[in-house]
PDB file of all heavy atoms in Angstrom:
ATOM      1  N   ALA R 252      37.747  85.080 124.957  1.00  0.00           N
ATOM      2  CA  ALA R 252      39.071  84.994 125.492  1.00  0.00           C
ATOM      3  C   ALA R 252      39.345  85.978 126.622  1.00  0.00           C
ATOM      4  O   ALA R 252      38.749  87.072 126.686  1.00  0.00           O
ATOM      5  CB  ALA R 252      40.092  85.319 124.384  1.00  0.00           C
ATOM      6  N   THR R 253      39.969  85.472 127.592  1.00  0.00           N
ATOM      7  CA  THR R 253      40.361  86.475 128.796  1.00  0.00           C
ATOM      8  C   THR R 253      41.892  86.534 128.872  1.00  0.00           C
ATOM      9  O   THR R 253      42.567  85.538 128.512  1.00  0.00           O
ATOM     10  CB  THR R 253      39.750  85.978 130.044  1.00  0.00           C
ATOM     11  OG1 THR R 253      40.210  84.634 130.277  1.00  0.00           O
ATOM     12  CG2 THR R 253      38.309  85.922 130.009  1.00  0.00           C
ATOM     13  N   ASP R 254      42.384  87.675 129.252  1.00  0.00           N
ATOM     14  CA  ASP R 254      43.860  87.878 129.627  1.00  0.00           C
ATOM     15  C   ASP R 254      44.643  87.545 128.376  1.00  0.00           C
ATOM     16  O   ASP R 254      45.617  86.838 128.426  1.00  0.00           O
ATOM     17  CB  ASP R 254      44.193  87.090 130.756  1.00  0.00           C
ATOM     18  CG  ASP R 254      45.598  87.547 131.268  1.00  0.00           C
ATOM     19  OD1 ASP R 254      45.870  88.724 131.094  1.00  0.00           O
ATOM     20  OD2 ASP R 254      46.327  86.719 131.774  1.00  0.00           O
ATOM     21  N   VAL R 255      44.277  88.078 127.178  1.00  0.00           N
ATOM     22  CA  VAL R 255      44.946  87.737 125.986  1.00  0.00           C
ATOM     23  C   VAL R 255      46.067  88.802 125.719  1.00  0.00           C
ATOM     24  O   VAL R 255      45.749  90.087 125.816  1.00  0.00           O
ATOM     25  CB  VAL R 255      43.914  87.691 124.755  1.00  0.00           C
ATOM     26  CG1 VAL R 255      44.723  87.759 123.398  1.00  0.00           C
ATOM     27  CG2 VAL R 255      42.962  86.724 124.900  1.00  0.00           C
ATOM     28  N   LYS R 256      47.292  88.340 125.481  1.00  0.00           N
ATOM     29  CA  LYS R 256      48.280  89.357 125.138  1.00  0.00           C
ATOM     30  C   LYS R 256      48.653  89.173 123.590  1.00  0.00           C
ATOM     31  O   LYS R 256      48.548  88.237 122.947  1.00  0.00           O
ATOM     32  CB  LYS R 256      49.635  89.013 125.897  1.00  0.00           C
ATOM     33  CG  LYS R 256      49.331  89.175 127.358  1.00  0.00           C
ATOM     34  CD  LYS R 256      50.721  89.093 128.212  1.00  0.00           C
ATOM     35  CE  LYS R 256      50.439  89.253 129.640  1.00  0.00           C
ATOM     36  NZ  LYS R 256      51.597  89.160 130.428  1.00  0.00           N
ATOM     37  N   VAL R 257      48.920  90.370 122.977  1.00  0.00           N
ATOM     38  CA  VAL R 257      49.353  90.409 121.537  1.00  0.00           C
ATOM     39  C   VAL R 257      50.608  89.679 121.409  1.00  0.00           C
ATOM     40  O   VAL R 257      51.563  89.958 122.193  1.00  0.00           O
ATOM     41  CB  VAL R 257      49.439  91.876 121.207  1.00  0.00           C
ATOM     42  CG1 VAL R 257      49.851  91.931 119.649  1.00  0.00           C
ATOM     43  CG2 VAL R 257      48.080  92.519 121.314  1.00  0.00           C
ATOM     44  N   PRO R 258      50.735  88.724 120.446  1.00  0.00           N
ATOM     45  CA  PRO R 258      51.967  88.089 120.250  1.00  0.00           C
ATOM     46  C   PRO R 258      53.155  89.065 120.074  1.00  0.00           C
ATOM     47  O   PRO R 258      52.960  90.163 119.487  1.00  0.00           O
ATOM     48  CB  PRO R 258      51.760  87.230 119.163  1.00  0.00           C
ATOM     49  CG  PRO R 258      50.499  87.642 118.437  1.00  0.00           C
ATOM     50  CD  PRO R 258      49.693  88.474 119.453  1.00  0.00           C
ATOM     51  N   MET R 259      54.396  88.731 120.498  1.00  0.00           N
ATOM     52  CA  MET R 259      55.523  89.503 120.364  1.00  0.00           C
ATOM     53  C   MET R 259      55.915  89.521 118.830  1.00  0.00           C
ATOM     54  O   MET R 259      55.855  88.556 118.169  1.00  0.00           O
ATOM     55  CB  MET R 259      56.687  88.960 121.166  1.00  0.00           C
ATOM     56  CG  MET R 259      56.475  89.223 122.634  1.00  0.00           C
ATOM     57  SD  MET R 259      57.771  88.443 123.687  1.00  0.00           S
ATOM     58  CE  MET R 259      59.245  88.964 123.066  1.00  0.00           C
ATOM     59  N   SER R 260      56.304  90.702 118.395  1.00  0.00           N
ATOM     60  CA  SER R 260      56.762  90.845 116.881  1.00  0.00           C
ATOM     61  C   SER R 260      58.109  90.195 116.728  1.00  0.00           C
ATOM     62  O   SER R 260      59.020  90.346 117.567  1.00  0.00           O
ATOM     63  CB  SER R 260      56.835  92.366 116.613  1.00  0.00           C
ATOM     64  OG  SER R 260      57.483  92.506 115.366  1.00  0.00           O
ATOM     65  N   THR R 261      58.260  89.445 115.637  1.00  0.00           N
ATOM     66  CA  THR R 261      59.456  88.828 115.350  1.00  0.00           C
ATOM     67  C   THR R 261      60.509  89.764 114.849  1.00  0.00           C
ATOM     68  O   THR R 261      61.582  89.642 115.143  1.00  0.00           O
ATOM     69  CB  THR R 261      59.182  87.665 114.293  1.00  0.00           C
ATOM     70  OG1 THR R 261      58.242  86.850 114.741  1.00  0.00           O
ATOM     71  CG2 THR R 261      60.505  86.851 114.000  1.00  0.00           C
ATOM     72  N   TYR R 262      60.054  90.802 114.026  1.00  0.00           N
ATOM     73  CA  TYR R 262      60.913  91.611 113.310  1.00  0.00           C
ATOM     74  C   TYR R 262      61.034  93.032 114.041  1.00  0.00           C
ATOM     75  O   TYR R 262      61.978  93.773 113.899  1.00  0.00           O
ATOM     76  CB  TYR R 262      60.657  91.855 111.885  1.00  0.00           C
ATOM     77  CG  TYR R 262      60.684  90.471 111.221  1.00  0.00           C
ATOM     78  CD1 TYR R 262      59.559  89.891 110.773  1.00  0.00           C
ATOM     79  CD2 TYR R 262      61.929  89.864 110.985  1.00  0.00           C
ATOM     80  CE1 TYR R 262      59.619  88.664 110.082  1.00  0.00           C
ATOM     81  CE2 TYR R 262      61.951  88.638 110.321  1.00  0.00           C
ATOM     82  CZ  TYR R 262      60.756  88.021 109.879  1.00  0.00           C
ATOM     83  OH  TYR R 262      60.908  86.915 109.227  1.00  0.00           O
ATOM     84  N   GLY R 263      59.964  93.470 114.636  1.00  0.00           N
ATOM     85  CA  GLY R 263      59.900  94.762 115.227  1.00  0.00           C
ATOM     86  C   GLY R 263      60.108  95.850 114.156  1.00  0.00           C
ATOM     87  O   GLY R 263      59.565  95.803 113.124  1.00  0.00           O
ATOM     88  N   ILE R 264      60.961  96.874 114.635  1.00  0.00           N
ATOM     89  CA  ILE R 264      61.290  97.912 113.647  1.00  0.00           C
ATOM     90  C   ILE R 264      62.457  97.580 112.776  1.00  0.00           C
ATOM     91  O   ILE R 264      62.900  98.474 112.030  1.00  0.00           O
ATOM     92  CB  ILE R 264      61.535  99.264 114.521  1.00  0.00           C
ATOM     93  CG1 ILE R 264      62.653  98.954 115.493  1.00  0.00           C
ATOM     94  CG2 ILE R 264      60.292  99.702 115.076  1.00  0.00           C
ATOM     95  CD1 ILE R 264      63.106 100.250 116.079  1.00  0.00           C
ATOM     96  N   GLY R 265      62.909  96.385 112.982  1.00  0.00           N
ATOM     97  CA  GLY R 265      64.189  95.900 112.189  1.00  0.00           C
ATOM     98  C   GLY R 265      64.180  96.273 110.728  1.00  0.00           C
ATOM     99  O   GLY R 265      65.122  96.889 110.165  1.00  0.00           O
ATOM    100  N   PRO R 266      63.099  95.957 109.934  1.00  0.00           N
ATOM    101  CA  PRO R 266      63.167  96.251 108.492  1.00  0.00           C
ATOM    102  C   PRO R 266      63.262  97.688 108.142  1.00  0.00           C
ATOM    103  O   PRO R 266      63.993  98.033 107.321  1.00  0.00           O
ATOM    104  CB  PRO R 266      61.841  95.573 108.043  1.00  0.00           C
ATOM    105  CG  PRO R 266      61.514  94.515 108.962  1.00  0.00           C
ATOM    106  CD  PRO R 266      62.016  95.002 110.306  1.00  0.00           C
ATOM    107  N   ILE R 267      62.633  98.540 108.976  1.00  0.00           N
ATOM    108  CA  ILE R 267      62.639  99.943 108.716  1.00  0.00           C
ATOM    109  C   ILE R 267      64.018 100.467 109.004  1.00  0.00           C
ATOM    110  O   ILE R 267      64.699 101.093 108.311  1.00  0.00           O
ATOM    111  CB  ILE R 267      61.598 100.712 109.655  1.00  0.00           C
ATOM    112  CG1 ILE R 267      60.213 100.343 109.177  1.00  0.00           C
ATOM    113  CG2 ILE R 267      61.801 102.191 109.554  1.00  0.00           C
ATOM    114  CD1 ILE R 267      59.124 100.726 110.138  1.00  0.00           C
ATOM    115  N   PHE R 268      64.483 100.091 110.297  1.00  0.00           N
ATOM    116  CA  PHE R 268      65.881 100.605 110.730  1.00  0.00           C
ATOM    117  C   PHE R 268      66.963 100.004 109.750  1.00  0.00           C
ATOM    118  O   PHE R 268      67.854 100.847 109.334  1.00  0.00           O
ATOM    119  CB  PHE R 268      66.110 100.266 112.115  1.00  0.00           C
ATOM    120  CG  PHE R 268      67.427 100.697 112.560  1.00  0.00           C
ATOM    121  CD1 PHE R 268      67.740 102.031 112.694  1.00  0.00           C
ATOM    122  CD2 PHE R 268      68.464  99.718 112.709  1.00  0.00           C
ATOM    123  CE1 PHE R 268      69.081 102.488 113.016  1.00  0.00           C
ATOM    124  CE2 PHE R 268      69.715 100.135 113.086  1.00  0.00           C
ATOM    125  CZ  PHE R 268      70.101 101.544 113.202  1.00  0.00           C
ATOM    126  N   GLY R 269      66.833  98.805 109.376  1.00  0.00           N
ATOM    127  CA  GLY R 269      67.781  98.184 108.544  1.00  0.00           C
ATOM    128  C   GLY R 269      67.849  98.925 107.159  1.00  0.00           C
ATOM    129  O   GLY R 269      68.993  99.117 106.673  1.00  0.00           O
ATOM    130  N   LEU R 270      66.733  99.204 106.632  1.00  0.00           N
ATOM    131  CA  LEU R 270      66.773  99.897 105.290  1.00  0.00           C
ATOM    132  C   LEU R 270      67.283 101.327 105.402  1.00  0.00           C
ATOM    133  O   LEU R 270      68.145 101.716 104.482  1.00  0.00           O
ATOM    134  CB  LEU R 270      65.265  99.919 104.763  1.00  0.00           C
ATOM    135  CG  LEU R 270      65.094 100.662 103.421  1.00  0.00           C
ATOM    136  CD1 LEU R 270      65.783  99.918 102.346  1.00  0.00           C
ATOM    137  CD2 LEU R 270      63.565 100.795 103.072  1.00  0.00           C
ATOM    138  N   VAL R 271      66.957 102.067 106.495  1.00  0.00           N
ATOM    139  CA  VAL R 271      67.499 103.406 106.644  1.00  0.00           C
ATOM    140  C   VAL R 271      69.045 103.309 106.856  1.00  0.00           C
ATOM    141  O   VAL R 271      69.791 104.076 106.195  1.00  0.00           O
ATOM    142  CB  VAL R 271      66.857 104.026 107.799  1.00  0.00           C
ATOM    143  CG1 VAL R 271      67.590 105.309 108.057  1.00  0.00           C
ATOM    144  CG2 VAL R 271      65.473 104.430 107.461  1.00  0.00           C
ATOM    145  N   ALA R 272      69.473 102.323 107.597  1.00  0.00           N
ATOM    146  CA  ALA R 272      70.861 102.116 107.761  1.00  0.00           C
ATOM    147  C   ALA R 272      71.740 101.735 106.590  1.00  0.00           C
ATOM    148  O   ALA R 272      72.722 102.309 106.284  1.00  0.00           O
ATOM    149  CB  ALA R 272      71.215 100.996 108.963  1.00  0.00           C
ATOM    150  N   ILE R 273      71.082 100.959 105.730  1.00  0.00           N
ATOM    151  CA  ILE R 273      71.691 100.631 104.455  1.00  0.00           C
ATOM    152  C   ILE R 273      71.843 101.875 103.493  1.00  0.00           C
ATOM    153  O   ILE R 273      72.813 102.096 102.919  1.00  0.00           O
ATOM    154  CB  ILE R 273      70.980  99.407 103.709  1.00  0.00           C
ATOM    155  CG1 ILE R 273      71.223  98.203 104.494  1.00  0.00           C
ATOM    156  CG2 ILE R 273      71.416  99.269 102.309  1.00  0.00           C
ATOM    157  CD1 ILE R 273      70.217  97.007 104.146  1.00  0.00           C
ATOM    158  N   VAL R 274      70.656 102.467 103.396  1.00  0.00           N
ATOM    159  CA  VAL R 274      70.569 103.633 102.504  1.00  0.00           C
ATOM    160  C   VAL R 274      71.608 104.706 102.864  1.00  0.00           C
ATOM    161  O   VAL R 274      72.429 105.265 102.010  1.00  0.00           O
ATOM    162  CB  VAL R 274      69.179 104.232 102.436  1.00  0.00           C
ATOM    163  CG1 VAL R 274      69.166 105.653 101.671  1.00  0.00           C
ATOM    164  CG2 VAL R 274      68.267 103.313 101.700  1.00  0.00           C
ATOM    165  N   LEU R 275      71.680 104.951 104.186  1.00  0.00           N
ATOM    166  CA  LEU R 275      72.562 106.197 104.645  1.00  0.00           C
ATOM    167  C   LEU R 275      74.044 105.682 104.493  1.00  0.00           C
ATOM    168  O   LEU R 275      74.869 106.464 104.155  1.00  0.00           O
ATOM    169  CB  LEU R 275      72.239 106.528 106.122  1.00  0.00           C
ATOM    170  CG  LEU R 275      70.992 107.385 106.294  1.00  0.00           C
ATOM    171  CD1 LEU R 275      70.901 107.701 107.797  1.00  0.00           C
ATOM    172  CD2 LEU R 275      71.054 108.565 105.565  1.00  0.00           C
ATOM    173  N   THR R 276      74.274 104.435 104.825  1.00  0.00           N
ATOM    174  CA  THR R 276      75.697 103.902 104.743  1.00  0.00           C
ATOM    175  C   THR R 276      76.218 103.939 103.284  1.00  0.00           C
ATOM    176  O   THR R 276      77.221 104.331 103.020  1.00  0.00           O
ATOM    177  CB  THR R 276      75.798 102.506 105.331  1.00  0.00           C
ATOM    178  OG1 THR R 276      75.272 102.538 106.676  1.00  0.00           O
ATOM    179  CG2 THR R 276      77.177 102.043 105.268  1.00  0.00           C
ATOM    180  N   VAL R 277      75.457 103.420 102.396  1.00  0.00           N
ATOM    181  CA  VAL R 277      75.779 103.314 100.976  1.00  0.00           C
ATOM    182  C   VAL R 277      75.887 104.796 100.483  1.00  0.00           C
ATOM    183  O   VAL R 277      76.828 105.183  99.771  1.00  0.00           O
ATOM    184  CB  VAL R 277      74.664 102.616 100.136  1.00  0.00           C
ATOM    185  CG1 VAL R 277      74.886 102.792  98.689  1.00  0.00           C
ATOM    186  CG2 VAL R 277      74.725 101.056 100.511  1.00  0.00           C
ATOM    187  N   ALA R 278      74.944 105.736 100.858  1.00  0.00           N
ATOM    188  CA  ALA R 278      75.011 107.069 100.474  1.00  0.00           C
ATOM    189  C   ALA R 278      76.353 107.711 100.968  1.00  0.00           C
ATOM    190  O   ALA R 278      77.087 108.435 100.257  1.00  0.00           O
ATOM    191  CB  ALA R 278      73.833 107.918 100.866  1.00  0.00           C
ATOM    192  N   GLY R 279      76.666 107.372 102.110  1.00  0.00           N
ATOM    193  CA  GLY R 279      77.983 107.986 102.754  1.00  0.00           C
ATOM    194  C   GLY R 279      79.129 107.517 102.027  1.00  0.00           C
ATOM    195  O   GLY R 279      80.130 108.184 101.760  1.00  0.00           O
ATOM    196  N   ILE R 280      79.122 106.170 101.642  1.00  0.00           N
ATOM    197  CA  ILE R 280      80.259 105.634 100.914  1.00  0.00           C
ATOM    198  C   ILE R 280      80.417 106.197  99.517  1.00  0.00           C
ATOM    199  O   ILE R 280      81.532 106.629  98.983  1.00  0.00           O
ATOM    200  CB  ILE R 280      80.190 104.094 100.793  1.00  0.00           C
ATOM    201  CG1 ILE R 280      80.461 103.516 102.327  1.00  0.00           C
ATOM    202  CG2 ILE R 280      81.213 103.415  99.967  1.00  0.00           C
ATOM    203  CD1 ILE R 280      80.100 102.055 102.389  1.00  0.00           C
ATOM    204  N   LEU R 281      79.209 106.297  98.805  1.00  0.00           N
ATOM    205  CA  LEU R 281      79.240 106.864  97.509  1.00  0.00           C
ATOM    206  C   LEU R 281      79.612 108.349  97.480  1.00  0.00           C
ATOM    207  O   LEU R 281      80.173 108.750  96.419  1.00  0.00           O
ATOM    208  CB  LEU R 281      77.837 106.514  96.790  1.00  0.00           C
ATOM    209  CG  LEU R 281      77.502 105.201  96.531  1.00  0.00           C
ATOM    210  CD1 LEU R 281      76.118 105.066  95.996  1.00  0.00           C
ATOM    211  CD2 LEU R 281      78.540 104.480  95.626  1.00  0.00           C
ATOM    212  N   LEU R 282      79.317 109.122  98.466  1.00  0.00           N
ATOM    213  CA  LEU R 282      79.583 110.508  98.492  1.00  0.00           C
ATOM    214  C   LEU R 282      80.877 110.951  99.159  1.00  0.00           C
ATOM    215  O   LEU R 282      81.166 112.079  99.234  1.00  0.00           O
ATOM    216  CB  LEU R 282      78.415 111.292  99.163  1.00  0.00           C
ATOM    217  CG  LEU R 282      76.997 111.167  98.560  1.00  0.00           C
ATOM    218  CD1 LEU R 282      75.984 111.775  99.507  1.00  0.00           C
ATOM    219  CD2 LEU R 282      76.965 111.877  97.223  1.00  0.00           C
ATOM    220  N   ARG R 283      81.553 109.958  99.465  1.00  0.00           N
ATOM    221  CA  ARG R 283      82.832 110.115 100.271  1.00  0.00           C
ATOM    222  C   ARG R 283      83.824 111.050  99.555  1.00  0.00           C
ATOM    223  O   ARG R 283      84.474 111.872 100.137  1.00  0.00           O
ATOM    224  CB  ARG R 283      83.541 108.903 100.583  1.00  0.00           C
ATOM    225  CG  ARG R 283      84.242 108.159  99.518  1.00  0.00           C
ATOM    226  CD  ARG R 283      85.024 106.884  99.874  1.00  0.00           C
ATOM    227  NE  ARG R 283      86.296 107.188 100.423  1.00  0.00           N
ATOM    228  CZ  ARG R 283      87.401 107.398  99.865  1.00  0.00           C
ATOM    229  NH1 ARG R 283      87.315 107.339  98.383  1.00  0.00           N
ATOM    230  NH2 ARG R 283      88.510 107.510 100.427  1.00  0.00           N
ATOM    231  N   ASP R 284      83.866 111.038  98.211  1.00  0.00           N
ATOM    232  CA  ASP R 284      84.856 111.925  97.565  1.00  0.00           C
ATOM    233  C   ASP R 284      84.114 112.831  96.497  1.00  0.00           C
ATOM    234  O   ASP R 284      84.705 113.169  95.382  1.00  0.00           O
ATOM    235  CB  ASP R 284      85.876 111.075  96.916  1.00  0.00           C
ATOM    236  CG  ASP R 284      85.445 110.113  95.859  1.00  0.00           C
ATOM    237  OD1 ASP R 284      84.135 110.009  95.792  1.00  0.00           O
ATOM    238  OD2 ASP R 284      86.227 109.367  95.219  1.00  0.00           O
ATOM    239  N   LYS R 285      82.958 113.227  96.835  1.00  0.00           N
ATOM    240  CA  LYS R 285      82.178 114.158  96.019  1.00  0.00           C
ATOM    241  C   LYS R 285      81.965 115.471  96.714  1.00  0.00           C
ATOM    242  O   LYS R 285      81.964 115.581  97.829  1.00  0.00           O
ATOM    243  CB  LYS R 285      80.780 113.526  95.651  1.00  0.00           C
ATOM    244  CG  LYS R 285      80.807 112.137  95.136  1.00  0.00           C
ATOM    245  CD  LYS R 285      81.093 112.175  93.645  1.00  0.00           C
ATOM    246  CE  LYS R 285      80.838 110.703  93.084  1.00  0.00           C
ATOM    247  NZ  LYS R 285      82.060 109.975  92.820  1.00  0.00           N
ATOM    248  N   TRP R 286      81.767 116.443  95.872  1.00  0.00           N
ATOM    249  CA  TRP R 286      81.550 117.920  96.306  1.00  0.00           C
ATOM    250  C   TRP R 286      82.343 118.261  97.448  1.00  0.00           C
ATOM    251  O   TRP R 286      83.542 118.220  97.520  1.00  0.00           O
ATOM    252  CB  TRP R 286      80.013 118.009  96.411  1.00  0.00           C
ATOM    253  CG  TRP R 286      79.076 117.625  95.471  1.00  0.00           C
ATOM    254  CD1 TRP R 286      79.221 118.028  94.137  1.00  0.00           C
ATOM    255  CD2 TRP R 286      78.223 116.564  95.495  1.00  0.00           C
ATOM    256  NE1 TRP R 286      78.324 117.399  93.350  1.00  0.00           N
ATOM    257  CE2 TRP R 286      77.664 116.412  94.101  1.00  0.00           C
ATOM    258  CE3 TRP R 286      77.636 115.801  96.446  1.00  0.00           C
ATOM    259  CZ2 TRP R 286      76.589 115.620  93.872  1.00  0.00           C
ATOM    260  CZ3 TRP R 286      76.630 114.835  96.107  1.00  0.00           C
ATOM    261  CH2 TRP R 286      76.096 114.824  94.838  1.00  0.00           C
ATOM    262  N   ILE R 287      81.665 118.796  98.452  1.00  0.00           N
ATOM    263  CA  ILE R 287      82.311 119.395  99.621  1.00  0.00           C
ATOM    264  C   ILE R 287      82.816 118.410 100.613  1.00  0.00           C
ATOM    265  O   ILE R 287      83.665 118.571 101.392  1.00  0.00           O
ATOM    266  CB  ILE R 287      81.355 120.373 100.481  1.00  0.00           C
ATOM    267  CG1 ILE R 287      80.162 119.637 101.012  1.00  0.00           C
ATOM    268  CG2 ILE R 287      80.966 121.590  99.640  1.00  0.00           C
ATOM    269  CD1 ILE R 287      79.285 120.315 101.948  1.00  0.00           C
ATOM    270  N   PHE R 288      82.423 117.079 100.317  1.00  0.00           N
ATOM    271  CA  PHE R 288      82.832 115.983 101.176  1.00  0.00           C
ATOM    272  C   PHE R 288      84.288 115.583 101.036  1.00  0.00           C
ATOM    273  O   PHE R 288      84.804 114.957 101.785  1.00  0.00           O
ATOM    274  CB  PHE R 288      81.908 114.843 101.054  1.00  0.00           C
ATOM    275  CG  PHE R 288      80.463 115.049 101.368  1.00  0.00           C
ATOM    276  CD1 PHE R 288      79.439 114.906 100.385  1.00  0.00           C
ATOM    277  CD2 PHE R 288      80.025 115.496 102.656  1.00  0.00           C
ATOM    278  CE1 PHE R 288      78.139 115.173 100.716  1.00  0.00           C
ATOM    279  CE2 PHE R 288      78.804 115.775 102.892  1.00  0.00           C
ATOM    280  CZ  PHE R 288      77.820 115.637 101.896  1.00  0.00           C
ATOM    281  N   LYS R 289      84.815 115.989  99.804  1.00  0.00           N
ATOM    282  CA  LYS R 289      86.199 115.673  99.621  1.00  0.00           C
ATOM    283  C   LYS R 289      87.259 116.025 100.635  1.00  0.00           C
ATOM    284  O   LYS R 289      88.194 115.297 100.796  1.00  0.00           O
ATOM    285  CB  LYS R 289      86.634 116.267  98.150  1.00  0.00           C
ATOM    286  CG  LYS R 289      86.133 115.669  97.031  1.00  0.00           C
ATOM    287  CD  LYS R 289      86.769 116.373  95.714  1.00  0.00           C
ATOM    288  CE  LYS R 289      86.140 115.717  94.480  1.00  0.00           C
ATOM    289  NZ  LYS R 289      86.758 116.395  93.234  1.00  0.00           N
ATOM    290  N   SER R 290      86.952 117.096 101.247  1.00  0.00           N
ATOM    291  CA  SER R 290      87.875 117.561 102.255  1.00  0.00           C
ATOM    292  C   SER R 290      87.936 116.756 103.540  1.00  0.00           C
ATOM    293  O   SER R 290      88.868 116.961 104.336  1.00  0.00           O
ATOM    294  CB  SER R 290      87.588 119.092 102.537  1.00  0.00           C
ATOM    295  OG  SER R 290      86.363 119.227 103.062  1.00  0.00           O
ATOM    296  N   GLY R 291      86.989 115.849 103.557  1.00  0.00           N
ATOM    297  CA  GLY R 291      86.916 114.982 104.817  1.00  0.00           C
ATOM    298  C   GLY R 291      87.852 113.808 104.772  1.00  0.00           C
ATOM    299  O   GLY R 291      88.011 113.068 105.663  1.00  0.00           O
ATOM    300  N   ILE R 292      88.521 113.506 103.463  1.00  0.00           N
ATOM    301  CA  ILE R 292      89.556 112.418 103.435  1.00  0.00           C
ATOM    302  C   ILE R 292      90.862 112.859 103.918  1.00  0.00           C
ATOM    303  O   ILE R 292      91.394 113.819 103.247  1.00  0.00           O
ATOM    304  CB  ILE R 292      89.397 111.929 101.963  1.00  0.00           C
ATOM    305  CG1 ILE R 292      88.128 111.499 101.550  1.00  0.00           C
ATOM    306  CG2 ILE R 292      90.510 110.863 101.701  1.00  0.00           C
ATOM    307  CD1 ILE R 292      87.938 111.083  99.945  1.00  0.00           C
ATOM    308  N   PRO R 293      91.502 112.233 104.805  1.00  0.00           N
ATOM    309  CA  PRO R 293      92.746 112.680 105.385  1.00  0.00           C
ATOM    310  C   PRO R 293      93.879 112.466 104.340  1.00  0.00           C
ATOM    311  O   PRO R 293      93.753 111.459 103.495  1.00  0.00           O
ATOM    312  CB  PRO R 293      92.972 111.711 106.553  1.00  0.00           C
ATOM    313  CG  PRO R 293      92.105 110.550 106.360  1.00  0.00           C
ATOM    314  CD  PRO R 293      90.946 110.998 105.563  1.00  0.00           C
ATOM    315  N   ASP R 294      94.879 113.273 104.338  1.00  0.00           N
ATOM    316  CA  ASP R 294      95.955 113.123 103.462  1.00  0.00           C
ATOM    317  C   ASP R 294      96.991 112.025 103.959  1.00  0.00           C
ATOM    318  O   ASP R 294      97.717 111.535 103.122  1.00  0.00           O
ATOM    319  CB  ASP R 294      96.662 114.501 103.318  1.00  0.00           C
ATOM    320  CG  ASP R 294      95.839 115.594 102.641  1.00  0.00           C
ATOM    321  OD1 ASP R 294      95.009 115.099 101.821  1.00  0.00           O
ATOM    322  OD2 ASP R 294      96.055 116.775 102.869  1.00  0.00           O
TER     323      ASP R 294
END
């Protein structure tokens, strides 16, 4: 073969980033009224 290019990735870094985004978002929602984070909720 000559001048062969690697096929483009369908997903790229999507699964890694998506998983990190889900974990951090869920953690943020679950921790919203816990410990020191309670003071971040407006009155």
